[in-house]
Amino acid sequence: MPSHVVTTAAQTYTCTVRNGISAQIHDFLPAKAGKVFVVTTPDVHALYASRLAGFEVLHYPGGEPNKRLSVVEALADQMLARGADRSSVVVAFGGGICGDVGGFLAAIFMRGIPVIQVPTTLLAQVDAAVGGKTGVNLVGGKNLIGSFHQPHAVLIDPTVLASLPPREFRAGLFEVVKHGIIASPELFAIMAKRADAVLAQDPEVLEKIIDESVRIKAGVVSADEKEGGLRRILNYGHTLGHALEAETNYSVLLHGEAVAYGMLAAGHLAVRAGRLDAATAAEIARVILLYGPLPPVPGVTAEALAGHVYKDKKTIQGQTHFVLATAIGRTEIVRGIPHEDVVAAAAAALA
């Protein structure tokens, strides 16, 4: 299976896609690594304890509500009590939330130590583990405290996906669809035409969609490490998706499901803005919903979502920057969209 190199000013590293690689962490440690601290959740640890033998294991409680500074501080205290120093290494072994927390812990512990990302969910494998974004949430919004901290390596093991609940697997597929919409008509076509094989985790198809997603993410991050330009396209669907997560207190939707709602809204917004034809927007919506169902969000209003948008990191000097598709494989960053259009697009996605 393939590898993809990410080259940034801060770090050059390899994202390796290989069956069984999650059992080979020792092979990817820095040459002079000290103690290795694995940040994982109790349920993931129970599944893969044998692969983590010999490492110090730190249990993250799991879930978006626990993705807070106080939890990171508690993990750092545990590291210190167990003898961590500047030669220590963090391994983030779990889903995207675990990767964000483990990466942020590594970014700030003694002003920065190496982290190896071992993502165990599809969403984390194709998106969150690649690119060095780390952070935790505030009550007012997602990932508002964080740091760019590029990993030492990313180890992607497709075999671990067999243990995922179906809903978790489908949530990751929405991020794969996103990559197709923003950068790869070929990937979008696979997701449009081979849904049965994708949902059945056909090994050949699964490898193809993971590889293509990682290739896209690695290329974008290499060109724009800190989201100054091109990397913003990866936020497609995330502006209203993050708003929906915040409005539901991070307790109703998985991240990929929120992004799916956000992509539906982005399609309506692009049509209203004259950037995308209605037929293509309808095909985007059809493909997204192939991997549903999306959980209902009763009681959430379009006005409330629009209010959250203005607290988003992509809002600068009062103007929110939206990533809109102009065709399959092409996007545009648009700002200054009228408030009423944002409300209407959110309402259409929720309908």
Side-chain angles (χ1 to χ4, degrees):
M1 287 189 179
S3 295
H4 299 281
V5 176
V6 177
T7 302
T8 71
Q11 177 90 343
T12 295
Y13 59 96
T14 300
C15 305
T16 305
V17 183
R18 184 191 306 159
N19 287 331
I21 198 171
S22 62
Q24 299 163 4
I25 297 169
H26 282 281
D27 297 339
F28 293 87
L29 294 173
K32 296 182 179 181
K35 282 193 174 184
V36 177
F37 293 84
V38 177
V39 177
T40 190
T41 54
D43 56 337
V44 172
H45 186 209
L47 287 171
Y48 300 109
S50 63
R51 304 185 185 192
L52 305 176
F55 299 143
E56 297 282 342
V57 175
L58 306 174
H59 281 158
Y60 168 67
E64 286 282 358
N66 289 313
K67 192 176 165 185
R68 303 300 298 274
L69 268 176
S70 58
V71 174
V72 175
E73 182 180 1
L75 293 172
D77 280 337
Q78 290 180 55
M79 287 180 65
L80 198 60
R82 298 192 203 180
D85 59 27
R86 296 187 71 181
S87 71
S88 298
V89 177
V90 171
V91 175
F93 195 107
I97 297 172
C98 192
D100 280 354
V101 171
F104 186 53
L105 174 64
I108 62 174
F109 188 82
M110 295 194 175
R111 297 192 176 93
I113 61 175
V115 62
I116 294 175
Q117 293 281 356
V118 188
T120 61
T121 64
L122 179 61
L123 191 149
Q125 290 185 351
V126 302
D127 188 60
V130 182
K133 278 189 175 181
T134 74
V136 295
N137 302 332
L138 293 175
V139 173
K142 185 166 178 172
N143 296 328
L144 293 181
I145 296 179
S147 174
F148 286 94
H149 188 59
Q150 299 297 337
H152 178 74
V154 181
L155 312 182
I156 298 170
D157 183 353
T159 66
V160 304
L161 301 180
S163 66
L164 283 183
R167 183 184 172 193
E168 287 273 3
F169 181 68
R170 292 196 308 270
L173 294 174
F174 295 126
E175 287 281 0
V176 177
V177 172
K178 180 200 79 174
H179 284 124
I181 295 169
I182 65 172
S184 176
E186 177 189 7
L187 178 57
F188 185 82
I190 293 173
M191 301 304 288
K193 298 174 182 177
R194 305 205 61 189
D196 289 346
V198 170
L199 288 167
Q201 296 191 33
D202 175 274
E204 180 182 351
V205 176
L206 189 59
E207 177 186 340
K208 177 64 177 176
I209 65 174
I210 292 173
D211 175 53
E212 181 69 358
S213 292
V214 174
R215 181 193 67 80
I216 291 166
K217 183 76 181 279
V220 170
V221 172
S222 294
D224 178 18
E225 179 185 6
K226 296 190 175 180
E227 209 169 275
L230 177 65
R231 187 166 179 171
R232 289 188 292 174
I233 70 172
L234 298 171
N235 290 319
Y236 182 74
H238 283 59
T239 302
L240 279 162
H242 283 171
L244 189 52
E245 287 179 294
E247 181 64 16
T248 55
N249 296 313
Y250 306 103
S251 61
V252 176
L253 300 173
L254 299 175
H255 176 64
E257 294 166 343
V259 169
Y261 271 112
M263 291 191 293
L264 293 173
H268 291 293
L269 202 55
V271 172
R272 290 181 70 90
R275 300 304 210 279
L276 183 68
D277 64 270
T280 302
E283 175 64 1
I284 287 173
R286 184 189 75 82
V287 174
I288 290 169
L289 295 175
L290 281 176
Y291 299 100
L294 293 177
V297 284
V300 173
T301 68
E303 280 285 356
L305 293 188
H308 280 285
V309 162
Y310 300 105
K311 300 175 186 176
D312 191 270
K313 298 188 300 299
K314 294 172 285 297
T315 296
I316 301 171
Q317 295 181 346
Q319 287 196 322
T320 299
H321 295 64
F322 284 92
V323 183
L324 301 181
T326 57
I328 301 301
R330 293 206 309 269
T331 59
E332 186 177 337
I333 309 295
V334 181
R335 65 180 182 178
I337 291 177
H339 175 78
E340 58 268 25
D341 284 353
V342 177
V343 173
L350 293 172

